[in-house]
């Protein structure tokens, strides 16, 4: 099995593999976009946008299972790629990746990062979010995931960025990426405004 840990969605983080029932990490020696592409595709997270070494997502636990990974980029699974099973690494060299299906959020135009128009980085570009389902639950998920406390009130803006994202949450998830979402579908965004929020953490 394969997973990404320590990121803000399941498509960003430290690369972890499972072998013999135990999870371990991958060393960043030789870690590049071709290797990361295999990880992203295997996890159905699109393609690799950027690669990270030096435990950018924190140090993992357990064994370091691969070193000097050398994928060509077309492999189905990371463990099919040539690699050294012996290593001279420590967990401060754990490899990480950001995949294109990762969502990253910011609030812009407010007094600080806890208030303003919601913008999402997805597939390499920033988009606005349709307010068609921008209710209390969605705002709670967002404010909490940004470390901004609880929502105080919604804000409404115009759509001025090229893409549109739509989120609808059924329960309190760790981030909006775990809720139901669609990208650039016109029907849920018809006659919508761009969503925004003021979270309780603003001005602290």
């Amino acid at each position: 099995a394969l997973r990404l840990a320590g990121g803000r969605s399941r498509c960003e983080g430290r690369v972890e593999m499972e072998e013999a029932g135990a999870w371990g990490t991958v060393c960043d020696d030789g870690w590049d976009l071709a290797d990361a592409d295999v990880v992203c595709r295997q996890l159905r997270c699109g393609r690799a946008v950027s690669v990270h070494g030096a435990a950018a997502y924190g140090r993992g636990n357990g064994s370091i299972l691969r070193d000097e990974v050398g994928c060509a980029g077309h492999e189905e699974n990371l463990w099919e790629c040539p690699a050294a099973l012996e290593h001279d690494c420590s967990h401060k060299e754990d490899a990480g990746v950001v995949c294109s299906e990762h969502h990253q959020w910011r609030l812009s135009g407010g007094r600080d990062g806890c208030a303003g128009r919601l913008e999402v980085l997805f597939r390499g570009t920033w988009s606005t979010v349709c307010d068609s389902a921008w209710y209390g639950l969605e705002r709670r998920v967002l404010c909490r995931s940004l470390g901004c406390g609880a929502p105080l009130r919604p804000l409404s803006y115009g759509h001025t960025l090229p893409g549109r994202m739509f989120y609808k949450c059924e329960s309190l998830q760790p981030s909006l990426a775990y809720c139901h979402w669609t990208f650039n579908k016109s029907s849920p965004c018809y006659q919508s405004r761009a969503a925004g929020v003021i979270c309780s953490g603003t001005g602290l």
Side-chain angles (χ1 to χ4, degrees):
L2 187 72
R3 69 184 180 192
L4 297 177
R8 291 157 292 185
S9 77
R10 68 173 198 86
C11 294
E12 176 199 45
R14 179 178 60 252
V15 179
E16 297 191 347
M17 298 170 65
E18 186 185 27
E19 280 192 353
W23 287 94
T25 63
V26 174
C27 185
D28 64 8
D29 293 343
W31 185 248
D32 61 18
L33 272 172
D35 307 323
D37 258 336
V38 173
V39 169
C40 293
R41 197 168 56 248
Q42 186 178 343
L43 293 173
R44 298 190 176 162
C45 284
R47 58 183 175 76
V49 176
S50 60
V51 294
H52 299 275
Y57 295 100
R59 299 183 184 194
N61 298 306
S63 301
I64 295 167
L65 297 173
R66 294 288 187 280
D67 189 13
E68 301 287 355
V69 176
C71 303
H74 57 71
E75 294 87 350
E76 295 282 314
N77 299 296
L78 186 62
W79 41 83
E80 293 168 16
C81 299
L85 301 182
E86 299 293 315
H87 67 84
D88 55 359
C89 304
S90 69
H91 280 300
K92 67 175 191 240
E93 297 171 82
D94 285 343
V97 61
V98 180
C99 304
S100 60
E101 298 295 293
H102 166 62
H103 304 213
Q104 181 180 331
W105 303 273
R106 68 184 179 196
L107 291 171
S108 75
R111 58 189 288 188
D112 55 28
C114 290
R117 183 174 76 172
L118 175 57
E119 298 172 357
V120 55
L121 180 64
F122 181 66
R123 296 179 186 162
T125 56
W126 288 97
S127 302
T128 44
V129 174
C130 307
D131 67 359
S132 327
W134 190 236
Y135 303 126
L137 186 55
E138 288 77 19
R139 297 194 294 267
R140 277 177 69 200
V141 169
L142 176 79
C143 289
R144 198 169 75 155
S145 72
L146 291 178
C148 287
L152 296 179
R153 65 184 178 90
L155 298 172
S156 187
Y157 295 87
H159 290 288
T160 57
L161 297 176
R164 309 236 175 132
M165 185 70 84
F166 171 84
Y167 294 104
K168 184 168 177 40
C169 302
E170 305 289 336
S171 59
L172 193 59
Q173 296 292 338
S175 81
L176 289 172
Y178 294 88
C179 300
H180 170 72
W181 59 269
T182 56
F183 180 63
N184 276 354
K185 292 271 188 345
S186 56
S187 51
C189 289
Y190 182 66
Q191 290 188 323
S192 73
R193 303 261 301 154
V197 65
I198 298 175
C199 305
S200 61
T202 191
L204 294 179

